[in-house]
């Protein structure tokens, strides 16, 4: 709830973190209170970046429609959450790299897109359903990419990391 989120964010900000997230489905007031908490707890007046999750990269169209009972296209849901997030004054959203360009086209300013679901090939999905390669994600407007298993499960994580940087 908004008050609990505000309290938690104040503590997180005092820990000196650079970026924190909430889920946009918590609503406008919750996101506004999250931002207020970060600002109250900010060290040296510098609050961490605050972003909101839209739809998980493992969420499929069918899952969103059938389990979450959100009708329409997944892109519409992501865009709706992004618009709500901007209205709350947050810095950006977590979305799949497939939606980064859509968000950039529809939300003005320095609104950030943080994109998990990064895979080295389009065939390596694991439990992700909406993925892109590092290069494609960057070309599609991702400001930050989130790479987990392609590095952590690689035979040579350092070489994989360097490969991704080169991409």
């Amino acid at each position: 709830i908004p008050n609990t989120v505000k309290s938690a964010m104040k503590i997180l900000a005092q820990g000196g973190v650079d970026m924190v997230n909430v889920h946009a489905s918590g609503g406008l007031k919750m996101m506004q209170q999250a931002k207020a908490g970060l600002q109250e707890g900010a060290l040296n007046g510098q609050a961490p970046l605050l972003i909101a999750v839209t739809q998980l990269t493992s969420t499929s169209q069918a899952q969103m429609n059938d389990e979450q009972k959100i009708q329409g296209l997944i892109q519409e849901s992501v865009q709706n959450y992004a618009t709500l997030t901007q209205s709350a004054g947050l810095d950006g959203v977590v979305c799949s790299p497939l939606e980064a360009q859509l968000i950039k086209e529809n939300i003005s300013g320095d609104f950030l897109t943080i994109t998990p679901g990064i895979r080295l090939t389009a065939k390596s999905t694991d439990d992700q359903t909406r993925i892109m390669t590092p290069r494609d994600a960057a070309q599609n407007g991702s400001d930050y990419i989130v790479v987990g298993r392609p590095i952590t499960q690689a035979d040579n994580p350092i070489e994989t990391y360097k490969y991704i940087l080169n991409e």
Side-chain angles (χ1 to χ4, degrees):
I1 62 173
N3 185 59
T4 302
V5 171
K6 181 179 180 182
S7 297
M9 290 297 155
K10 185 175 180 180
I11 293 167
L12 288 172
Q14 292 168 351
V17 299
D18 293 323
M19 183 185 296
V20 296
N21 73 282
V22 294
H23 201 292
S25 66
L28 183 67
K29 185 171 182 178
M30 183 275 295
M31 289 190 283
Q32 290 170 330
Q33 289 300 299
K35 182 172 181 166
L38 286 178
Q39 291 170 334
E40 285 180 21
L43 299 174
N44 303 318
Q46 184 65 38
L49 293 173
L50 179 57
I51 57 175
V53 176
T54 57
Q55 288 287 345
L56 301 179
T57 53
S58 60
T59 301
S60 68
Q61 179 72 51
Q63 181 185 7
M64 185 190 78
N65 295 150
D66 299 340
E67 294 178 16
Q68 297 177 18
K69 300 297 183 195
I70 298 174
Q71 297 309 304
L73 299 174
I74 203 158
Q75 295 85 354
E76 293 168 342
S77 175
V78 169
Q79 182 60 49
N80 177 60
Y81 280 138
T83 301
L84 185 65
T85 299
Q86 184 188 41
S87 296
L90 276 62
D91 299 297
V93 291
V94 178
C95 61
S96 94
L98 298 173
E99 291 102 30
Q101 184 175 8
L102 172 72
I103 290 168
K104 296 291 185 182
E105 290 171 354
N106 289 288
I107 296 187
S108 60
D110 296 330
F111 197 72
L112 301 172
T113 54
I114 294 82
T115 58
I118 302 301
R119 294 295 181 261
L120 301 184
T121 70
K123 296 177 183 175
S124 176
T125 61
D126 302 312
D127 59 345
Q128 305 293 327
T129 60
R130 298 179 354 268
I131 65 165
M132 276 189 171
T133 65
R135 174 177 287 142
D136 290 343
Q139 291 174 343
N140 206 44
S142 297
D143 294 298
Y144 294 89
I145 63 171
V146 179
V147 184
R149 285 174 280 188
I151 293 174
T152 63
Q153 294 180 0
D155 291 334
N156 189 331
I158 293 172
E159 286 303 313
T160 302
Y161 172 74
K162 289 177 182 177
Y163 171 81
I164 291 169
L165 282 179
N166 188 47
E167 281 279 296

